[in-house]
Amino acid sequence: MEASVILPILKKKLAFLSGGKDRRSGLILTIPLCLEQTSMDELSVTLDYLLSIPSEKCKARGFTVIVDGRKSQWNVVKTVVLMLQNVVPAEVSLVCVVKPDEFWDKKVTHFCFWKEKDRLGFEVILVSANKLTRYIEPCQLTEDFGGTLTYDHMDWLNKRLVFEKFTKESTSLLDELALINNGSDKGTQQERERSIDLNFLPSVDPETVLQTGHELLSELQQRRFNGSDGGVSWSPMDDELLAQPQVMKLLDSLREQYTRYQEVCRQRSKRTQLEEIQQKVMQVVNWLEGPGSEQLRTQWGIGDSIRASQALQQKHEEIESQHSEWFAVYVELNQQIAALLNAGDEEDLVELKALQQQLSDVCYRQASQLEFRQNLLQAALEFHSVAQDLSQQLDGLLGMLCVDVAPADGASIQQTLKLLEEKLKSVDLGLQGLREKGQSLLDQISNQASWAYGKDVTIENKENVDHIQGVMEDMQLRKQRCEDMVDVRRLKMLQMVQLFKCEEDAAQAVEWLSELLDALLKTHIRLGDDAQETKVLLEKHRKFVDVAQSTYDYGRQLLQATVVLCQSLRCTSRSSGDTLPRLNRVWKQFTVTSEERVHRLETAVAFHSTAEKILQECPDQPEAFNEMDQFDEIEAVGKSLLDRLTVPVVYPDGSEQYFGSPSDMASAAEHIREKMKLVSLKKQQLRQPEATTPES
């Protein structure tokens, strides 16, 4: 019977064991009766429970029962005393009935107990509360009977509940732990695991039960210590001899079984962890070698454009994202395996290392394949990017070549030709870069078979190789066509440069010839002071004319070259309509002016020569002047020369131009007049002797 079952009855305190003892060391059982009607059934249940607590050794010393009838009627007391015969007849040695001050009829009570003495089997005495110490020591009596023993019924009941709960839970827990631990000792591993699986978790927490037991034991030991000092004592069932050893024994057994149970749990946890790791490892390996590898098998292309390569890269990133989840599991598993290897048993090391090696091999191989695929797609993207840039450069170059050149001058042609050469050089560099990227990509594709998992990738690789080679060959052909067109355009532009150069030089020749004409009119003015100087001027003029002639011939040759270049370029030249007429017009003006200059110089030479001859002859040689015609001729030449100095040069177009300034011409005319005066004076001197001779 457990206290928790009859807790409401026990709380009524119908009977109790206070812990006190009689002089024979028997336990004192107290039955306090009250004014209210006492239920004999509940009292019987209470007595049965209380008498089940002491040990057999305690029971053998007998009980002293104190029936407190001070607040009850005699009939009730009598009934209780008679009930003791049926409940504890052998254990009761003495029944002390505490009577009230105004007690019942002495004759009746004495007669009843005396008559029933032999039948009851124990002695019943009537005693006042103050006379109870004759049979029991005061220290063994509670305060209700004038004793000093302290008893708290609710405290006892609570501790009793704790004790019984601990005893029940610990006993049940010991059975469960023993079943679990004994199951772990079975022969085969499968039987051991099956037994552990069926009874793996105990119904109560061992830690909680152990803690409760330690607290209970501490309480019992504390009360025993206090009791020895005469303080508060709780020993209703001789706890210092019974309860403590029982609790200690249960605690020892619990600790032993719990230690074994913890080891079983540790082994099971380790085994379970190992199995979970093995299961996860196989999940990772199966996925990587199954769906993961299949994803890579289906992704073999490199794309035929930047957009296609980018789409393949995006698809590959999705594949990598799926793989990264499994790689995260791999990292976690690797850490768990490493921890088990550091703290694992000898028997698990081989299996753990094998799992770790298998997992690492598969993951590293798959990671290498992913990296290889990523590098291949990146190389393909770079190849297509270079190819697209080169294609755009070739399109730009071709567009430039298809547009007809209409430059304004040679400088713009030179600039256009320089730009054309730069574009061609850029195309060369782009094609070289494309070849390098293509060769690098081909080298990577040739290594693709090393991770193909036995799959024949020859056909797929051939398509990729053909595509790459086709792109490079197409770019080479386009570049060659552009080079041919550049050669033609370069020749045409060089001819245009030469054409512009010829036109510029021809225009320059016209300018030079104009400058010569201007110099002839403005600076070639002097006619000389004598015949010798005039001859020198005439010779210089002829050389000057030769220079002008060379300039004119050079301009004519340049204009003829422009005609040939225009015919080659199939274009019209501005020289035929502008420069050539200008050249001819300036040359005609120069020719007319030069002829006038020559005529004047030649006239001046004749004038100076004749005048100097006349002026240098001596007067005593009259035979030299036998003809007066020479004087007339000099006068005529002088006048003619003076007249020419005042006449302008008339050009074929009717325009006129004078030599020098009027002051320059006046100075030259003045010199001629002075010389004519000298000749006239000479003539007069020669005539005077002729006049004086006849008179004599």
Side-chain angles (χ1 to χ4, degrees), residues 431-446:
L431 183 60
Q432 182 180 356
L434 181 66
R435 289 171 179 167
E436 294 175 355
K437 295 293 184 182
Q439 187 59 47
S440 175
L441 186 56
L442 290 174
D443 293 340
Q444 293 188 48
I445 291 177
S446 64

Side-chain angles (χ1 to χ4, degrees), residues 147-347:
T148 59
L149 181 61
T150 301
Y151 172 74
D152 186 343
H153 183 70
M154 292 308 298
D155 182 65
W156 168 85
L157 184 56
N158 290 333
K159 294 299 185 291
R160 186 64 191 177
L161 289 172
V162 173
F163 173 77
E164 289 184 354
K165 180 183 179 183
F166 168 71
T167 303
K168 180 180 178 181
E169 290 182 349
S170 60
T171 303
S172 175
L173 182 59
L174 282 172
D175 294 338
E176 294 175 356
L177 293 179
L179 181 61
I180 294 173
N181 296 336
N182 293 334
S184 65
D185 295 334
K186 289 185 177 181
T188 64
Q189 180 177 349
Q190 293 181 351
E191 293 177 351
R192 182 165 62 250
E193 292 178 355
R194 189 183 305 113
S195 175
I196 295 174
D197 290 339
L198 293 176
N199 309 277
F200 190 69
L201 293 177
S203 59
V204 293
D205 182 20
E207 294 286 349
T208 303
V209 176
L210 284 171
Q211 182 179 0
T212 302
H214 285 297
E215 292 176 353
L216 178 60
L217 180 61
S218 176
E219 181 67 23
L220 291 175
Q221 291 174 345
Q222 183 69 21
R223 287 187 174 273
R224 179 184 177 185
F225 175 77
N226 291 339
S228 64
D229 290 343
V232 178
S233 177
W234 173 56
S235 184
M237 51 181 177
D238 206 8
D239 295 283
E240 66 273 14
L241 300 176
L242 177 63
Q244 293 182 36
Q246 187 176 356
V247 173
M248 294 175 63
K249 182 178 180 181
L250 288 173
L251 287 174
D252 291 340
S253 299
L254 276 176
R255 280 192 289 266
E256 179 183 357
Q257 291 294 336
Y258 184 52
T259 301
R260 291 181 57 193
Y261 168 74
Q262 287 179 317
E263 179 62 23
V264 170
C265 291
R266 190 185 69 82
Q267 293 294 336
R268 175 57 181 171
S269 175
K270 184 179 69 174
R271 190 69 233 171
T272 302
Q273 186 178 9
L274 186 60
E275 290 175 354
E276 291 177 353
I277 290 177
Q278 186 176 13
Q279 183 180 3
K280 290 182 180 179
V281 167
M282 294 312 301
Q283 288 178 351
V284 174
V285 171
N286 291 336
W287 191 89
L288 292 179
E289 292 184 344
S293 298
E294 186 61 29
Q295 288 178 346
L296 287 177
R297 290 192 188 99
T298 58
Q299 298 295 317
W300 53 266
I302 61 173
D304 56 358
S305 63
I306 294 179
R307 180 175 299 179
S309 295
Q310 289 175 341
L312 289 174
Q313 275 191 331
Q314 184 176 1
K315 178 64 177 177
H316 183 72
E317 289 176 356
E318 295 175 359
I319 295 175
E320 283 186 332
S321 178
Q322 297 180 18
H323 278 74
S324 63
E325 297 177 1
W326 291 96
F327 288 153
V329 177
Y330 156 70
V331 173
E332 181 180 356
L333 288 175
N334 199 34
Q335 293 175 351
Q336 293 179 4
I337 293 175
L340 290 177
L341 285 174
N342 293 332
D345 297 334
E346 294 279 340
E347 57 186 11

